[in-house]
Amino acid sequence: MPGRQELPSTVARSSEKAQRTWIKAHDSAVESYGEGERAHRTAFSALKHAFEKVGDHWEAKEEMGPSDPQAERGTPARGETAGGVDANAGKEHLYEIAKRLEIEGRSRMTKDELVDAIAKANDRATARARS
C-alpha cells in the first residue's frame, strides 16, 4: 500500500518534507521487503535521521544523524528506541525541548531522564491529538 495511505498521524501533522521522507522510505521498503512492520520500521528509521518527535509531530533536527543507539545500528530491527526523541542531542537541546513541552522538574534531570520524560510527554501529546 502506498506510503501516503499508511502515513502515521504524527507524520501527517508534520511538515511536507517530513511526510515526503517517510513516504519515500516506506514505499522503497515495501518494494524491497513487502508491506508490513518492517516497511514501517524502515520509514521511521529514515525519518529519525533528519527529524525528531516533539509533542504530537516531527520537527527537523539541527544536525542529521541517528537519534539513538538503535538507529545507529543501521538495520531497522525490533528493539528499544527513544521513541523519536533525539537521544544523541546534547543535554541543553533536550532541556529546551522539555521546556517547550512544559515538563516539570526538567532542571534537575539527567540527560537520560530528559529523554525519558520527553518520550512520555510526546506519547501523551500524541494520544491527546488522536482523541
Side-chain angles (χ1 to χ4, degrees):
M1 184 172 289
R4 175 115 358 239
Q5 294 173 336
E6 293 285 315
L7 201 64
S9 63
T10 58
V11 181
R13 286 188 291 276
S14 303
S15 69
E16 281 293 320
K17 185 174 181 183
Q19 292 177 29
R20 283 192 312 269
T21 299
W22 195 91
I23 291 167
K24 185 175 178 180
H26 176 270
D27 291 351
S28 176
V30 168
E31 287 178 23
S32 297
Y33 313 124
E35 181 60 59
E37 182 182 347
R38 188 170 184 188
H40 287 182
R41 284 195 317 262
T42 301
F44 273 114
S45 179
L47 185 68
K48 290 176 185 180
H49 275 268
F51 297 86
E52 64 183 316
K53 190 171 178 204
V54 179
D56 67 345
H57 64 283
W58 295 81
E59 296 181 3
K61 294 181 353 183
E62 291 177 15
E63 293 183 30
M64 288 186 63
S67 58
D68 56 40
Q70 174 71 8
E72 288 173 356
R73 289 181 46 208
T75 305
R78 289 188 183 116
E80 193 69 30
T81 72
V85 178
D86 188 5
N88 287 336
K91 184 177 179 182
E92 185 175 316
H93 174 77
L94 294 169
Y95 176 83
E96 290 302 319
I97 297 294
K99 186 175 179 181
R100 286 178 50 200
L101 295 172
E102 300 178 353
I103 295 172
E104 293 185 25
R106 62 187 171 268
S107 63
R108 296 182 304 278
M109 292 182 182
T110 65
K111 183 177 174 179
D112 289 340
E113 290 170 333
L114 284 168
V115 169
D116 290 341
I118 292 168
K120 288 177 185 173
N122 288 347
D123 289 346
R124 286 190 299 272
T126 299
R128 278 193 305 271
R130 285 186 185 144
S131 54

